[in-house]
Amino acid sequence: MKKPSLDFWFDFASTYSYPAAMRIASLAETSCVTVRWRPFMLGPIFKAQGWATSPFNLYPAKGRNMWRDLERVCAALDLPFTKPDPFPQNSLLAARAALVALAGNWGESYCRAIYRAEFGKGRSIEKGDAIGEILKSLGQEDHAVLERAQSTEIKLQLREQTEEAQRLGIFGSPSFVTAGGELFWGNDRLEAALDWARR
Amino acid sequence: MKKPSLDFWFDFASTYSYPAAMRIASLAETSCVTVRWRPFMLGPIFKAQGWATSPFNLYPAKGRNMWRDLERVCAALDLPFTKPDPFPQNSLLAARAALVALAGNWGESYCRAIYRAEFGKGRSIEKGDAIGEILKSLGQEDHAVLERAQSTEIKLQLREQTEEAQRLGIFGSPSFVTAGGELFWGNDRLEAALDWARR
């Protein structure tokens, strides 16, 4: 029998996508579900609903609670946590490089390494040199990957993937979508999404 | 030793407060935590951040996901679920009556009965006759309670309680606040809030 699958939609700028990215592989393995990692850009989706930045910046009480809550969530999972500055990070280049990485067999390691640098260590993931360092630490040719990440083909692929996310009704990250189109939003729904994928 | 306590802040108009209200008593009993039920009005807090109605109405993709998610959450808990129309319900009178009820020993039953009518059966909880029916079903004198609910004293108490919520940094419902001031937001954080209260 074919293993059930689940699409994991994420933006590297998103806070709660960090614990989700760190948890999903082992939970999916236990559940016998195949996960497809699907980077996309939240920015255009936020802009479409009139937000110029993260709602966590637009609504300070919501933002304060999120940082404190994320700290508690990470502590409970034994994940290091440091708030990146500025927040949100511009995740465009990191997302493009993720598409290159995910076409190879080292995509998930790359995605986890980006999240770990950004929210575990509070480092910038915006520029080529920061991403290049992570690529090197994974044994990849940083210049070649970054050049490919900025090709027209990859730029277009990320744009199309973002449009697909929007068509699926995705409005936040992380989101999980089953083969049947059932949408789950948020790190808190990862287990429910995996359960649904197996139904 | 004194039992630890947790404040449960809720607005009757709030969707995810329904499963929280139905779950909290038995979970708190298992955790040996005393819960104080604290109705407040989200409206003034939403208005302060520029929202004239529920964010679930302002952001349709978020709203669609919430209704579907709430349906799944209720199904998993074996709670009946029907969407009330209109949404959000005007919860002012129900909240005022809750203050009367909570001053007696039947407050929690009243609050659960309001939530069950609204989100279990999809009934209106806006008007005196709907609330009166619920009061009668609980063996209460509906006219006397509703008259008291509209007294200056109760009106003022609800206003002060809403201001207190705002001072505590509350921006959504349900929220849980420990004696030490630790804030948790959302039905998904009920267990974590109870754990924290016992630390």
Side-chain angles (χ1 to χ4, degrees):
Chain A
M1 213 184 84
K2 217 184 137 226
K3 266 171 90 174
S5 75
L6 186 69
D7 277 8
F8 168 37
W9 290 88
F10 59 96
D11 183 321
F12 283 118
S14 150
T15 53
Y16 286 107
S17 302
Y18 165 49
M22 305 313 273
R23 297 190 316 124
I24 196 166
S26 66
L27 285 174
E29 201 186 342
T30 312
S31 308
C32 285
V33 171
T34 305
V35 174
R36 197 158 50 139
W37 291 56
R38 314 224 40 201
F40 76 108
M41 297 301 292
L42 259 181
I45 294 177
F46 280 175
K47 266 199 200 103
Q49 45 192 43
W51 295 340
T53 179
S54 162
F56 294 127
N57 289 345
L58 293 171
Y59 306 109
K62 208 176 162 74
R64 271 191 300 277
N65 174 73
M66 180 276 290
W67 290 115
R68 179 64 177 146
D69 187 59
L70 186 63
E71 200 181 339
R72 291 186 305 235
V73 166
C74 289
L77 295 168
D78 231 348
L79 286 176
F81 170 69
T82 314
K83 183 179 168 175
D85 181 26
F87 172 82
Q89 292 275 302
N90 181 332
S91 55
L92 183 62
L93 184 56
R96 287 174 176 165
L99 290 178
V100 180
L102 289 160
N105 62 353
W106 50 283
E108 299 187 20
S109 307
Y110 165 84
C111 293
R112 280 189 292 264
I114 291 282
Y115 276 119
R116 207 180 294 119
E118 182 185 16
F119 293 110
K121 300 177 186 161
R123 294 213 183 127
S124 170
I125 54 122
E126 298 190 335
K127 299 277 168 59
D129 49 355
I131 298 168
E133 251 185 65
I134 288 168
L135 290 168
K136 275 187 279 188
S137 77
L138 296 167
Q140 298 298 322
E141 300 268 7
D142 52 326
H143 291 293
V145 173
L146 287 168
E147 201 184 304
R148 172 94 183 111
Q150 288 168 97
S151 66
T152 308
E153 196 188 333
I154 290 289
K155 286 180 179 176
L156 203 64
Q157 194 188 332
L158 184 61
R159 196 171 314 147
E160 280 166 1
Q161 202 146 290
T162 297
E163 285 164 5
E164 186 183 344
Q166 214 157 358
R167 275 196 306 278
L168 288 167
I170 288 174
F171 58 92
S173 174
S175 289
F176 312 99
V177 182
T178 68
E182 191 77 14
L183 169 67
F184 294 80
W185 169 56
N187 176 51
D188 293 323
R189 289 294 174 275
L190 174 50
E191 285 83 350
L194 287 166
D195 283 349
W196 197 281
R198 297 170 65 196
R199 279 160 62 127
Chain B
M1 213 183 84
K2 215 183 140 227
K3 265 170 90 173
S5 75
L6 186 69
D7 276 9
F8 168 37
W9 290 88
F10 59 96
D11 182 321
F12 284 118
S14 151
T15 52
Y16 286 107
S17 302
Y18 165 49
M22 305 313 273
R23 297 190 316 125
I24 196 166
S26 66
L27 285 174
E29 201 186 342
T30 312
S31 307
C32 285
V33 171
T34 305
V35 173
R36 197 157 51 137
W37 291 56
R38 314 222 43 198
F40 75 108
M41 297 301 291
L42 259 181
I45 295 177
F46 281 174
K47 266 199 200 100
Q49 45 191 43
W51 295 341
T53 180
S54 163
F56 295 126
N57 288 346
L58 293 172
Y59 306 110
K62 208 177 163 73
R64 271 191 299 277
N65 174 72
M66 179 277 291
W67 290 114
R68 179 63 178 146
D69 186 60
L70 185 62
E71 199 181 338
R72 290 186 306 235
V73 166
C74 289
L77 295 168
D78 231 346
L79 286 174
F81 169 69
T82 314
K83 182 179 169 175
D85 181 25
F87 172 81
Q89 292 276 302
N90 182 332
S91 54
L92 184 62
L93 183 57
R96 287 173 175 164
L99 290 177
V100 181
L102 289 161
N105 63 352
W106 51 283
E108 299 186 20
S109 307
Y110 166 84
C111 293
R112 280 188 293 265
I114 291 282
Y115 276 119
R116 205 179 297 118
E118 182 186 16
F119 293 109
K121 299 177 187 163
R123 293 211 185 128
S124 170
I125 54 123
E126 298 190 335
K127 299 276 168 59
D129 48 355
I131 298 169
E133 250 185 67
I134 289 168
L135 290 168
K136 275 186 278 187
S137 77
L138 296 167
Q140 298 298 322
E141 300 269 6
D142 53 325
H143 291 293
V145 172
L146 287 169
E147 201 184 303
R148 170 97 183 108
Q150 287 168 98
S151 66
T152 307
E153 196 188 333
I154 290 289
K155 286 180 180 175
L156 203 64
Q157 194 189 329
L158 184 62
R159 198 172 314 149
E160 279 165 2
Q161 201 146 291
T162 297
E163 286 163 4
E164 186 184 343
Q166 215 157 356
R167 276 196 306 276
L168 289 168
I170 288 173
F171 57 93
S173 174
S175 289
F176 312 99
V177 183
T178 68
E182 191 76 14
L183 168 68
F184 294 81
W185 169 56
N187 176 50
D188 292 323
R189 289 292 174 276
L190 173 51
E191 285 83 350
L194 287 165
D195 283 349
W196 197 281
R198 297 170 65 196
R199 279 161 62 126

